[in-house]
């Protein structure tokens, strides 16, 4: 029992890091994102080193556009390589349509806020 207690006391000192935490909401607008408790938007990204933010305009079949913002752990199927920073792009997202804007990746806990990371 003493060994377990000693180990638990040493873990914070040894610098054991936890999973990366990112803000997560799928099609959230800036207004929805900043309303209420921000903790409800947090998610653990178990295998990721980056957080993701997609922001842009979705155009429907009638030509009307609306701003969208998507945050969370990266979707590997969307990009061929993950690299910190932002890039302009157009993405086809199932159930949403064509999003024209930018996709950003950042390192660090909760780094995918409303602030752009260039």
């Amino acid at each position: 029992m003493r060994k377990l207690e000693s180990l638990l006391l040493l873990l914070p000192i040894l610098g054991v890091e936890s999973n990366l935490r990112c803000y997560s909401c799928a099609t959230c607008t800036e207004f929805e994102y900043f309303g209420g408790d921000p903790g409800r938007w947090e998610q653990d990204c178990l295998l990721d080193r980056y957080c993701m933010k997609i922001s842009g305009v979705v155009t429907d079949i009638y030509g009307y556009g609306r701003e969208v913002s998507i945050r969370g752990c990266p979707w590997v199927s969307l990009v061929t390589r993950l690299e910190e920073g932002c890039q302009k792009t157009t993405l086809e997202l199932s159930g949403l349509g064509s999003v024209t804007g930018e996709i950003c990746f950042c390192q660090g806990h909760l780094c995918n806020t409303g602030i752009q990371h260039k």
Side-chain angles (χ1 to χ4, degrees), residues 57-95:
V57 176
V58 173
T59 306
D60 65 16
I61 60 171
Y62 303 107
Y64 294 103
R66 66 180 173 100
E67 286 192 37
V68 295
S69 178
I70 301 168
R71 293 174 176 83
C73 304
W75 304 333
V76 176
S77 61
L78 286 181
V79 291
T80 55
R81 63 180 191 166
L82 297 176
E83 196 172 281
E84 190 166 19
C86 298
Q87 59 185 348
K88 300 273 184 208
T89 188
T90 299
L91 300 169
E92 287 294 327
L93 300 178
S94 179

Side-chain angles (χ1 to χ4, degrees), residues 23-29 32 41 43 68-72 75 96:
Y23 288 111
S24 176
C25 54
T27 66
C28 54
T29 62
E32 292 171 334
W41 301 105
Q43 156 187 15
V68 295
S69 178
I70 301 168
R71 293 174 176 83
W75 304 333
L96 194 58

Side-chain angles (χ1 to χ4, degrees), residues 8-75:
L8 290 175
L9 290 174
L10 284 176
L11 284 178
I13 296 169
L14 295 174
V16 174
E17 294 196 24
S18 63
N19 297 325
L20 182 65
R21 291 193 61 79
C22 300
Y23 288 111
S24 176
C25 54
T27 66
C28 54
T29 62
E30 297 300 319
F31 177 78
E32 292 171 334
Y33 177 75
F34 290 106
D37 175 26
R40 69 183 176 144
W41 301 105
E42 294 177 13
Q43 156 187 15
D44 280 327
C45 296
L46 302 177
L47 301 175
D48 294 309
R49 297 181 326 207
Y50 295 98
C51 293
M52 174 191 73
K53 179 184 176 192
I54 300 172
S55 55
V57 176
V58 173
T59 306
D60 65 16
I61 60 171
Y62 303 107
Y64 294 103
R66 66 180 173 100
E67 286 192 37
V68 295
S69 178
I70 301 168
R71 293 174 176 83
C73 304
W75 304 333

